[in-house]
């Protein structure tokens, strides 16, 4: 009897097989001539070679579908297994969707400027996205990074922030260094949790495929084959920004996001973001995009709050 072994690479078996292996049982119904056994991330199938060949082809299409959309159900299984087309092997461009998040949530650019940011990231290896809170800078960047990882354009995602003590003192916070720094990194975790199933995200982090660390941890590294995002870059100093930008290695995509209106650096300290935009604005291969109040996609009151504060700041 012939045997075929297939591994669920980077797919959480609990999500793929379904509750009480419901998805696996559905798959088995379409191949009564095969003996199919699943243990963890490994599937073994036994039977005639011709049937195994067909099964492997269609099963891998099913894996591809799950990788893209983070979900399968009985209807998807039926369509993928019974279809004779190669549709599942082509990446569709449904209204410029970036990725499908948890439960099939559609994640795409929500405003014209966000779409410009996406286009700019396609055309340039280094992009600065500047704008106020809530304009989707970080979220869009993380979506592009996840897309690049899924499409194997890069081997890893690196997300970083300067750990500036914005009115708080790290030394007085409980826990080890990771526990002290995690609150600074929380927005990056939140974005990833919208786009990658929990078990897969945990596996990616444990394997170093996704790395989330404060900016100081980037010193001395060369970042190859990676999509790298520096978030909250307005809180970098001259030396920190220069250090970060010079970490760029081969086949790397760098994105720098920040809001010049929310600088938490000591007074008279020049923001590395503001300086970099001035110094690098004419270099080919570096894109700079400015998002504004029209791009705010949070609660409608956020836009009004920002406008109210602007009036006060302009009076000073």
């Amino acid at each position: 009897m012939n045997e075929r072994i297939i591994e669920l690479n980077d797919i959480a078996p609990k999500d793929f097989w379904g509750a009480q292996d419901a998805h696996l049982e559905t798959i088995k119904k379409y191949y009564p001539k095969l003996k199919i056994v699943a243990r963890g991330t490994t599937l073994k199938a036994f039977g005639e070679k011709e049937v195994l060949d067909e099964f492997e082809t269609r099963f891998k299409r099913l894996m591809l579908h799950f990788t893209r959309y983070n979900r399968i159900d009985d209807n998807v299984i039926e369509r993928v297994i019974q279809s004779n087309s190669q549709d599942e092997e082509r990446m569709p461009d449904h209204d410029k969707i970036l990725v499908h998040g948890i439960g099939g949530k559609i994640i795409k650019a929500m405003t014209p400027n966000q779409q410009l940011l996406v286009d700019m990231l396609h055309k340039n290896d280094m992009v600065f996205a500047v704008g106020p809170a809530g304009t989707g800078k970080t979220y869009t960047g993380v979506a592009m990074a996840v897309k690049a990882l899924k499409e194997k354009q890069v081997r890893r995602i690196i997300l970083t922030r300067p750990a500036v003590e914005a009115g708080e003192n790290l030394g007085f916070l409980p826990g080890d260094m990771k526990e002290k720094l995690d609150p600074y990194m929380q927005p990056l975790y939140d974005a990833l949790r919208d786009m990658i199933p929990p078990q897969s995200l945990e596996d990616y982090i444990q394997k170093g495929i996704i790395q989330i660390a404060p900016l100081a941890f980037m010193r001395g590294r060369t970042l190859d084959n990676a999509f790298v995002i520096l978030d909250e870059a307005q809180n970098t100093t001259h030396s920190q920004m220069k250090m970060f930008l010079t970490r760029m290695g081969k086949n790397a995509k760098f994105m720098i996001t920040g809001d010049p209106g929310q600088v938490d650096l000591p007074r008279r300290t020049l923001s590395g973001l503001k300086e970099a935009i001035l110094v690098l604005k004419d270099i080919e291969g570096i894109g700079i995009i400015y998002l504004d109040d029209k791009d705010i996609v949070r609660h409608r009151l956020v836009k009004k709050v920002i406008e109210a504060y602007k009036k006060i700041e302009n009076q000073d």
Side-chain angles (χ1 to χ4, degrees), residues 8-295:
L8 300 183
N9 295 322
D10 299 324
I11 294 177
K14 181 180 177 182
D15 297 328
F16 189 81
W17 301 132
Q20 298 180 329
D21 291 342
H23 297 158
L24 178 62
E25 293 305 316
T26 300
I27 293 168
K28 287 180 178 180
K29 291 177 183 177
Y30 291 97
Y31 290 93
K33 294 182 179 180
L34 297 180
K35 180 183 178 182
I36 299 172
V37 180
R39 293 285 184 274
T41 60
T42 303
L43 178 140
K44 293 183 179 180
F46 305 87
E48 295 180 4
K49 182 180 181 303
E50 292 76 11
V51 182
L52 284 172
D53 288 343
E54 179 193 329
F55 169 76
E56 182 174 12
T57 298
R58 298 181 188 278
F59 186 81
K60 286 183 176 179
R61 287 185 200 167
L62 199 58
M63 290 169 58
L64 178 63
H65 182 100
F66 186 89
T67 300
R68 287 180 184 158
Y69 304 112
N70 286 321
R71 63 183 295 273
I72 57 172
D73 55 29
D74 287 353
N75 291 331
V76 170
I77 294 170
E78 179 181 8
R79 186 178 75 248
V80 173
I81 288 180
Q82 293 193 331
S83 172
N84 289 320
S85 71
Q86 302 295 312
D87 290 345
E88 294 295 332
E89 296 179 3
R90 292 195 291 269
M91 178 60 72
D93 184 19
H94 297 314
D95 199 19
K96 298 189 176 179
I97 292 170
L98 300 180
V99 292
H100 285 77
I102 300 303
K105 175 184 177 182
I106 292 174
I107 297 172
K108 62 180 181 179
M110 301 295 290
T111 70
N113 274 340
Q114 287 183 11
Q115 186 58 53
L116 284 174
L117 172 56
V118 170
D119 295 340
M120 195 172 285
L121 282 165
H122 283 306
K123 296 174 184 175
N124 299 276
D125 286 337
M126 183 180 292
V127 172
F128 288 80
V130 182
T135 51
K137 306 180 298 295
T138 302
Y139 199 81
T140 303
V142 172
M144 288 293 287
V146 171
K147 177 181 173 69
L149 183 67
K150 286 190 173 187
E151 295 179 3
K152 302 189 185 303
Q153 297 171 10
V154 297
R155 295 178 189 168
R156 53 187 174 156
I157 296 172
I158 300 172
L159 309 175
T160 185
R161 280 182 156 199
V164 173
E165 299 180 17
E168 299 177 4
N169 193 320
L170 283 175
F172 291 98
L173 293 175
D176 58 21
M177 183 57 70
K178 182 180 184 301
E179 290 169 330
K180 290 180 179 182
L181 289 168
D182 270 356
Y184 288 97
M185 307 297 157
Q186 198 59 50
L188 302 174
Y189 284 109
D190 289 344
L192 287 168
R193 288 187 183 114
D194 263 8
M195 304 174 198
I196 301 175
Q199 187 59 54
S200 296
L201 177 57
E202 185 179 331
D203 291 343
Y204 280 142
I205 291 173
Q206 287 183 352
K207 294 175 183 176
I209 295 171
I210 293 179
Q211 302 171 25
I212 306 174
L215 182 57
F217 286 36
M218 299 299 110
R219 191 174 298 279
R221 300 181 64 184
T222 299
L223 306 178
D224 293 322
N225 301 303
F227 197 117
V228 187
I229 299 176
L230 169 58
D231 196 34
E232 298 289 336
Q234 75 274 5
N235 289 325
T236 60
T237 62
H238 161 88
S239 60
Q240 286 175 325
M241 178 61 79
K242 183 180 177 183
M243 178 275 291
F244 173 76
L245 296 179
T246 54
R247 299 306 94 204
M248 194 173 197
K250 296 177 182 177
N251 189 39
K253 184 82 73 174
F254 269 39
M255 180 177 175
I256 301 94
T257 75
D259 176 6
Q262 291 190 345
V263 177
D264 296 316
L265 294 168
R267 286 186 178 183
R268 296 176 184 168
T269 301
L270 177 62
S271 167
L273 175 64
K274 293 181 179 179
E275 181 187 45
I277 290 170
L278 292 172
V279 172
L280 306 176
K281 61 183 175 63
D282 295 324
I283 295 181
E284 186 177 351
I286 296 179
I288 301 174
I289 183 167
Y290 295 89
L291 295 93
D292 55 34
D293 297 358
K294 295 189 292 293
D295 299 299

